[in-house]
Amino acid sequence: MTAYSDKIEQMLEYDRQHLWHPYTSMTNPLPVYPVVAADGVRIRLADGRELIDGMASWWSVIHGYNNPILTEALQQQARDFSHVMFGGLTHEPAVQLAQILVDNSPAGLDKVFLCDSGSVAVEVAMKMAMQYQYARAKEGKNRFLTIRSGYHGDTFHAMSVCDPETGMHQIYRGVLPEYFFADAPACRFHDTWDERDIDSFAHLIEQHHHQLCAVILEPIVQGAGGMRFYHPNYLARVRELCDRYDVLLIADEIATGFGRSGELFACDHAAVVPDILCLGKALTGGYMTLAAVLATTEIAETISSSEPGVFMHGPTFMGNPLACSVAVASVSLLLKSDWRNTIGHLEQEISRGLEPCCDLTTVEEVRVLGAIGVVQMKKPVAMATIQQRFVDRGVWVRPFGKLVYIMPPYCMNDADIKTLTAAIYEVVALEK
Ligand code: PMP
């Protein structure tokens, strides 16, 4: 063994002994692959192998790795200042970012709260909804309604609105707030709309609206809760019902924001404007952790106009200038690009590439929306084996449960999509 491979082996051993990885056992961890570089759509492993990245590091790296414009924004900001507290101070990167978000998100979302991560954004949004009702002297309206198969993050309130079966409700029973769950939408994105699809939701909101401060859901694309694409009319009906029953609508676009589903925001598929919008992940092009919660002026003014007169949240790294600068660069780059055609083309190529999977007996369904491709298996896959098979074929795909799915960086070319989707076909064909 060379000194270099010795060093990598030692690093991996230390990792196994001391580092938690996401959703992984500490005593019997799944293998992890050491990365030494990433550029464009490729991740380079320590042994020199290069993998075409199908995951965009969980929806975030939309412009690819090492984008020179994003890197320059970060470096420039680091030379000016990396961080200052946001209490009592402000700076251009935060103001510029707020302006870009306000100008380009659904109309009416004019107030911006910057925070650390997607889960924290969900906590902030839920607190905002509660504080809004409290400020209107509607303290009884302090519970939430959501839909099954959702995912909103791993902090406590976020967990409480994740799918009750696949989420962590069982483990945290008694501690986790118990909220209302409507059936997951059954009508798919491309199906003919069936008005009965909204019945379960309509029934719950009608029954419980006196206790409800808000509905929270992922518009159109349910991500980690099942990778499901539902009908825009469902979202439109939710908006109507929220209005009818005086309940706020929180749209969690942490995964879907910034073009992923084919519209800039998934809400745009239904021309719906939420009262509160959560953004994260692709916000910084995957460079840093940052999230934003946008709300209407009415919500902000109501919260501010009665006791305690302020919104009760203020994290240490709120409005971090490095993260804001790279976010300004990332969102500007996206908006300057022909993102609609790019995503449309990716949708076509991913569909074409995954189509052969439909013929495999182990495959339940193949579905594609925007730059998201999903192969749903009949049985759960064995993670360690399937991961190894993907790596052996030079691609990075990380399935979970029955879902083998991709959401590549937007800059992926046709040849790489072909290699990526062909590898998925080959690997999925080996499943029993
Ligand atoms: N909401 C949605 C829709 C998500 O997909 C995620 C992350 N997978 C989150 C919230 C939580 O974001 P984070 O992991 O940054 O806390």
Side-chain angles (χ1 to χ4, degrees):
M1 268 217 232
T2 64
Y4 180 68
S5 60
D6 265 355
K7 191 179 132 206
I8 297 294
E9 221 15 80
Q10 279 166 17
M11 181 186 91
L12 286 175
E13 184 51 26
Y14 198 90
D15 185 297
R16 260 191 300 277
Q17 297 297 333
H18 298 282
L19 267 179
W20 294 101
H21 282 265
Y23 312 106
T24 300
S25 160
M26 203 74 233
T27 49
N28 185 24
L30 288 165
V32 289
Y33 297 85
V35 174
V36 291
D39 198 70
V41 302
R42 283 178 166 68
I43 296 173
R44 178 141 36 94
L45 301 181
D47 61 10
R49 285 184 293 177
E50 286 202 339
L51 309 178
I52 297 172
D53 177 27
M55 305 305 290
S57 284
W58 281 335
W59 313 81
S60 65
V61 183
I62 54 173
H63 304 296
Y65 300 90
N66 264 357
N67 180 285
I69 295 170
L70 271 58
T71 302
E72 173 53 29
L74 194 58
Q75 287 174 338
Q76 181 57 49
Q77 187 57 45
R79 283 192 288 271
D80 292 346
F81 58 100
S82 294
H83 186 62
V84 290
M85 60 190 278
F86 213 50
L89 299 171
T90 195
H91 44 79
E92 200 175 359
V95 176
Q96 271 186 347
L97 179 59
Q99 204 167 358
I100 292 178
L101 294 179
V102 166
D103 290 350
N104 292 286
S105 61
L109 298 169
D110 291 336
K111 309 292 181 194
V112 183
F113 190 99
L114 298 169
C115 58
D116 318 47
S117 69
S119 301
V120 174
V122 168
E123 300 287 329
V124 165
M126 293 175 83
K127 280 174 72 174
M128 251 181 212
M130 279 191 191
Q131 225 186 299
Y132 168 77
Q133 304 293 6
Y134 178 83
R136 296 165 76 212
K138 301 204 172 184
E139 292 91 342
K141 282 171 85 70
N142 59 8
R143 307 190 66 194
F144 293 87
L145 167 60
T146 185
I147 52 180
R148 287 177 185 268
S149 296
Y151 176 81
H152 297 282
D154 293 344
T155 53
F156 269 88
H157 256 78
M159 276 197 294
S160 74
V161 285
C162 288
D163 185 87
E165 263 135 56
T166 58
M168 289 164 269
H169 293 246
Q170 205 61 35
I171 310 173
Y172 298 103
R173 187 176 294 278
V175 182
L176 218 53
E178 286 181 19
Y179 293 137
F180 300 104
F181 289 87
D183 293 347
C187 227
R188 311 295 189 84
F189 188 86
H190 295 288
D191 286 352
T192 309
W193 170 242
D194 179 351
E195 206 58 59
R196 286 170 303 183
D197 207 22
I198 198 68
D199 284 355
S200 159
F201 181 92
H203 179 68
L204 283 171
I205 198 168
E206 187 186 330
Q207 250 192 340
H208 300 292
H209 63 96
H210 296 298
Q211 304 170 61
L212 293 176
C213 61
V215 164
I216 177 166
L217 47 67
E218 296 155 279
I220 308 299
V221 177
Q222 294 187 289
M227 300 300 291
R228 305 168 86 254
F229 312 141
Y230 65 86
H231 202 286
N233 284 8
Y234 189 98
L235 187 59
R237 292 293 179 273
V238 166
R239 176 72 273 182
E240 288 161 18
L241 288 162
C242 284
D243 288 342
R244 185 182 316 159
Y245 290 109
D246 185 27
V247 174
L248 295 178
L249 175 59
I250 302 172
D252 176 352
E253 294 233 20
I254 287 157
T256 48
F258 306 107
R260 182 58 70 179
S261 71
E263 292 287 345
L264 197 54
F265 299 100
C267 281
D268 298 340
H269 286 289
V272 154
V273 181
D275 301 294
I276 301 177
L277 173 69
C278 300
L279 301 172
K281 290 187 184 275
L283 178 60
T284 62
Y287 266 58
M288 328 257 308
T289 178
L290 180 72
V293 181
L294 276 65
T296 60
T297 299
E298 204 237 323
I299 291 175
E301 287 182 350
T302 305
I303 289 174
S304 309
S305 65
S306 70
E307 279 302 307
V310 293
F311 179 57
M312 296 302 285
H313 208 97
T316 308
F317 289 101
M318 186 168 181
N320 173 257
L322 290 173
C324 289
S325 294
V326 78
V328 168
S330 176
V331 181
S332 306
L333 188 59
L334 178 72
L335 294 173
K336 266 191 271 172
S337 74
D338 188 5
W339 59 267
R340 189 180 291 282
N341 277 326
T342 303
I343 307 293
H345 182 72
L346 281 170
E347 179 173 279
Q348 243 177 33
E349 293 304 304
I350 295 172
S351 301
R352 200 197 312 271
L354 293 181
E355 166 96 53
C357 296
C358 300
D359 300 332
L360 296 169
T361 53
T362 50
V363 169
E364 178 77 40
E365 190 186 53
V366 175
R367 45 187 186 263
V368 178
L369 183 70
I372 313 166
V374 183
V375 178
Q376 182 161 337
M377 307 296 295
K378 288 184 179 149
K379 289 196 220 141
V381 298
M383 181 74 117
T385 322
I386 201 168
Q387 187 88 85
Q388 179 71 50
R389 287 176 177 157
F390 281 124
V391 170
D392 289 346
R393 283 162 180 80
V395 302
W396 182 245
V397 180
R398 182 142 179 104
F400 70 85
K402 294 180 188 169
L403 300 168
V404 178
Y405 65 106
I406 50 170
M407 61 294 238
Y410 300 164
C411 54
M412 191 169 287
N413 65 29
D414 292 1
D416 286 342
I417 293 279
K418 224 172 175 173
T419 309
L420 180 61
T421 50
I424 291 178
Y425 176 80
E426 276 178 37
V427 168
V428 160
L430 294 172
E431 290 291 304
K432 297 274 173 349

